[in-house]
Amino acid sequence: SYDNKKLTPLFTQNVNKIVTYTWKNPSEKKPRKKYAYIRKLKDFNWYLVGTVYADEVHKPVNRLKVITLVVLVLSAFFIIAIGVIFSRGLARPLMHLLNGINEFYSKKKPFKMETQSVSEINELGQAFESMSMTLGNSMKELESKISELNLSQEERRKALQLLDNIINSMPSVLISIDN
């Protein structure tokens, strides 16, 4: 802490500069940091010294720091919240589409897409819906054809069995009479 005798050389040696020192007012319990700017008035051979406590200078800056930090945290929160809302808006329809694809492959059940707010997802869903309907119809046709083939194979097998039975029941010698 400085007293008047120590401050005079500090001020006279630091003209046109900012100096830092500690100062204790009689009413205060402990000294506080203080800034001083010194100018010399040459015509009068006087020194003009302006002083201010450091905490009074930093108080508005510290308040501005707190406000900036609060705004930054709130902005980050809102940006994250908006990102989550938009990502869910995209993820839900895509998950619905993915579940429809999985259900189609596992149960061969045609897929029906609900209308979504994103037009590209609607187009994708409608394309998959159309594809799953077409594939479902094709699968039904194939099952019908397979069923027909199985029936015709069964009839062919029975006809071959009947022919084989006829041939096996005939005598080994055939006599033919021609008129």
Side-chain angles (χ1 to χ4, degrees):
S1 181
Y2 287 93
D3 59 17
N4 284 339
K5 291 178 186 174
K6 291 181 183 174
L7 284 178
T8 303
L10 177 69
F11 291 160
T12 57
Q13 294 169 3
N14 291 293
V15 175
N16 295 328
K17 294 182 183 174
I18 297 175
V19 293
T20 305
Y21 63 98
T22 56
W23 183 260
K24 182 183 171 301
N25 287 328
S27 62
E28 295 175 342
K29 293 183 180 179
K30 60 182 185 175
R32 294 190 294 164
K33 185 176 180 182
K34 205 166 187 182
Y35 298 122
Y37 182 73
I38 304 98
R39 296 282 305 248
K40 184 175 182 179
L41 302 174
K42 294 179 183 177
D43 294 338
F44 299 99
N45 200 23
W46 288 0
Y47 289 91
L48 182 62
V49 180
T51 65
V52 65
Y53 284 105
D55 57 355
E56 292 173 1
V57 171
H58 295 295
K59 188 184 292 184
V61 174
N62 289 337
R63 185 168 185 253
L64 192 58
K65 282 181 186 178
V66 169
I67 290 171
T68 303
L69 183 63
V70 168
V71 168
L72 183 66
V73 168
L74 288 176
S75 297
F77 174 75
F78 284 122
I79 288 171
I80 290 170
I82 289 170
V84 167
I85 289 169
F86 280 123
S87 68
R88 282 188 180 172
L90 288 174
R92 278 192 185 123
L94 291 175
M95 288 304 296
H96 179 68
L97 185 61
L98 183 62
N99 290 338
I101 291 169
N102 290 335
E103 189 171 325
F104 175 76
Y105 281 114
S106 65
K107 299 177 183 175
K108 308 301 185 244
K109 180 180 174 185
F111 175 72
K112 179 72 175 152
M113 182 72 177
E114 299 168 3
T115 303
Q116 302 297 322
S117 61
V118 180
S119 64
E120 289 83 0
I121 293 176
N122 282 333
E123 290 176 23
L124 183 62
Q126 289 168 354
F128 183 74
E129 183 178 328
S130 173
M131 181 190 72
S132 72
M133 292 294 222
T134 303
L135 283 174
N137 292 337
S138 296
M139 286 174 39
K140 285 179 184 175
E141 285 179 35
L142 280 174
E143 288 171 358
S144 173
K145 296 287 183 191
I146 289 171
S147 196
E148 287 175 22
L149 279 174
N150 285 339
L151 283 175
S152 69
Q153 281 182 343
E154 183 63 26
E155 288 174 0
R156 187 172 160 238
R157 189 189 61 74
K158 285 181 182 177
L160 284 174
Q161 183 67 40
L162 180 64
L163 187 60
D164 192 45
N165 287 342
I166 291 172
I167 291 174
N168 287 335
S169 66
M170 292 175 85
S172 50
V173 176
L174 280 178
I175 299 176
S176 164
I177 302 174
D178 216 5
N179 282 343

